[in-house]
Amino acid sequence: MSSAPLRLRLDTDALVANWRLLAAMSGAAACGAAVKANGYGVGSPEVVQRLANAGCRDFFVATWAEAAPLADPSRSISVLHGVRENDNPLGLPGVRPVLNTPAQVQRWKPTGAPCDVMVDTGMNRLGVSPDEVGAGLLDGLNIETLMSHLSSADEDGPINTRQCAAFRQLQGQTSARRMSLANSAGIALGADYAFDLTRPGIALYGGQQHAQHHGIRQVVRPEAQVLQRRTLRAGQGLGYNLTFTAPADMEVAILNLGYADGYLRCFSNKGWGISGGNRLPLLGRVSMDLIALDVSAAPDLAEGDWIEIAYALPEMAAISGLSQYEMLTGLGARFDRIWS
Ligand SMILES: *Cc1c(COP(=O)(O)O)cnc(C)c1O
């Protein structure tokens, strides 16, 4: 099979350095890794292997289908959406559910197997209530980790303190061997939030959700190949609906990347490529499979050359209006994913 005309450059050193930084920020707590949605679009088997080599032991996925290819007795994998009637959860080494509802608790109890439990401390998304815990719902379960999730860890304010206090109230009330509250942004809120285990996701992959994340490095760099180089004459328009008009004669490269690859139309007339230290502005609309860059600053770029597309998550999310999470999880299947 021939190689794809677009690729994701994935930086092992940056991924591992980000995990080490988050582990250091987690203090005495163990630091895990959220690898749901195929490792935030990056590739979960590759992420898990690299982080496991660095010493990470606890991984989080959404579903059993996501857990299956990652299962290994040397790791612990928690399935965040718990166990449904038709799931077939036993027999995957090191994999256990995060129970979220009384029905899930009743379904799991007879197995006697280890599990995690999610408690809702105010997000009103998944989880059993503190009152249900107080009423003995979890008695008789073999709980490895008791968890809760912060709704607003990327903002300052009283909500975080309230959730943290509500979670701390549960300490000693269950058989849980560990407690876990903080995602990436939660880790940045300080030692009170670390408990025994932290669960970063986005920051592993280069996301910055808090000022304390300034040392986080970029992991993902899309690159696309030039299909055609052309001259655009002053006054000519470019792309669908000709939303860009050349103010003067200029040089343009057409690249093999578009919204079908997750490079969405909100980058139209806003994104840019990077070549030889030059910024090459994106011209006109992003098409399904193509974009156009102004390559006037790069006279030597020719058909077949590769150009990096600016994709630093904090900066490009601010420019496009996408979330850093959407920027990663939307990256499509047509990229060759190439790890350094
Ligand atoms: C996705 C997720 C995380 C990781 O969150 P980030 O914001 O990506 O760090 C942690 N815990 C739970 C329950 C999650 O669903």
Side-chain angles (χ1 to χ4, degrees), residues 34 36 40 60 80 118 125 147-149 181-185 199-203 205 209 325:
K36 60 200 183 192
Y40 288 45
F60 302 89
L80 290 164
M118 176 66 72
R125 198 175 64 170
M147 290 182 203
S148 191
H149 194 53
L181 177 63
N183 60 352
S184 298
R199 312 187 303 266
I202 192 72
Y205 310 102
Q209 295 292 118
Y325 300 83

Side-chain angles (χ1 to χ4, degrees), residues 186-202:
I187 291 170
L189 297 176
D192 280 357
Y193 291 78
F195 290 88
D196 305 305
L197 170 66
T198 58
R199 312 187 303 266
I202 192 72

Side-chain angles (χ1 to χ4, degrees), residues 240-308:
Y240 280 119
N241 305 104
L242 306 182
T243 63
F244 176 80
T245 304
D249 288 0
M250 59 199 298
E251 291 291 301
V252 174
I254 310 300
L255 270 63
N256 216 306
L257 173 71
Y259 60 76
D261 305 301
Y263 190 73
L264 300 184
R265 293 196 314 155
C266 41
F267 289 108
S268 300
N269 285 309
K270 288 185 181 166
W272 64 88
I274 302 163
S275 180
N278 292 312
R279 187 185 278 212
L280 311 175
L282 194 152
L283 305 175
R285 282 224 171 120
V286 174
S287 298
M288 185 184 294
D289 322 292
L290 297 169
I291 55 170
L293 300 181
D294 175 0
V295 291
S296 305
D300 297 332
L301 272 177
E303 211 171 299
D305 287 346
W306 290 87
I307 301 181
E308 178 181 346

Side-chain angles (χ1 to χ4, degrees), residues 200-223:
I202 192 72
L204 295 170
Y205 310 102
Q208 301 186 16
Q209 295 292 118
H210 195 280
Q212 295 293 328
H213 286 158
H214 53 77
I216 292 292
R217 288 166 53 182
Q218 185 173 353
V219 174
V220 180
R221 287 185 168 78
E223 292 179 353

Side-chain angles (χ1 to χ4, degrees), residues 44-113:
S44 59
E46 292 78 12
V47 169
V48 166
Q49 185 207 331
R50 282 162 176 77
L51 295 182
N53 288 345
C56 183
R57 289 292 167 266
D58 298 276
F59 299 91
F60 302 89
V61 296
T63 65
W64 293 92
E66 289 182 350
L70 309 175
D72 185 292
S74 70
R75 311 169 184 147
S76 132
I77 298 176
S78 298
V79 178
L80 290 164
H81 293 187
V83 60
R84 301 169 307 161
E85 192 70 51
N86 297 324
D87 284 326
N88 185 10
L90 297 171
L92 285 179
V95 185
R96 60 178 183 270
V98 181
L99 306 178
N100 293 293
T101 70
Q104 290 190 352
V105 169
Q106 301 314 341
R107 195 170 292 134
W108 194 255
K109 224 175 242 183
T111 71

Side-chain angles (χ1 to χ4, degrees), residues 90-205:
L90 297 171
L92 285 179
V95 185
R96 60 178 183 270
V98 181
L99 306 178
N100 293 293
T101 70
Q104 290 190 352
V105 169
Q106 301 314 341
R107 195 170 292 134
W108 194 255
K109 224 175 242 183
T111 71
C115 61
D116 298 339
V117 175
M118 176 66 72
V119 183
D120 173 32
T121 53
M123 187 174 188
N124 291 304
R125 198 175 64 170
L126 284 178
V128 302
S129 71
D131 284 350
E132 287 167 327
V133 176
L137 174 69
L138 308 183
D139 295 357
L141 279 178
N142 177 5
I143 305 176
E144 175 60 35
T145 308
L146 193 72
M147 290 182 203
S148 191
H149 194 53
L150 296 164
S151 67
S152 314
D154 56 342
E155 300 173 342
D156 288 327
I159 298 170
N160 296 319
T161 1
R162 224 157 45 215
Q163 282 197 269
C164 190
F167 190 52
R168 199 169 295 284
Q169 289 273 313
L170 299 169
Q171 232 158 11
Q173 280 200 45
T174 72
S175 66
R177 284 176 281 281
R178 301 188 295 183
M179 308 254 303
S180 173
L181 177 63
N183 60 352
S184 298
I187 291 170
L189 297 176
D192 280 357
Y193 291 78
F195 290 88
D196 305 305
L197 170 66
T198 58
R199 312 187 303 266
I202 192 72
L204 295 170
Y205 310 102

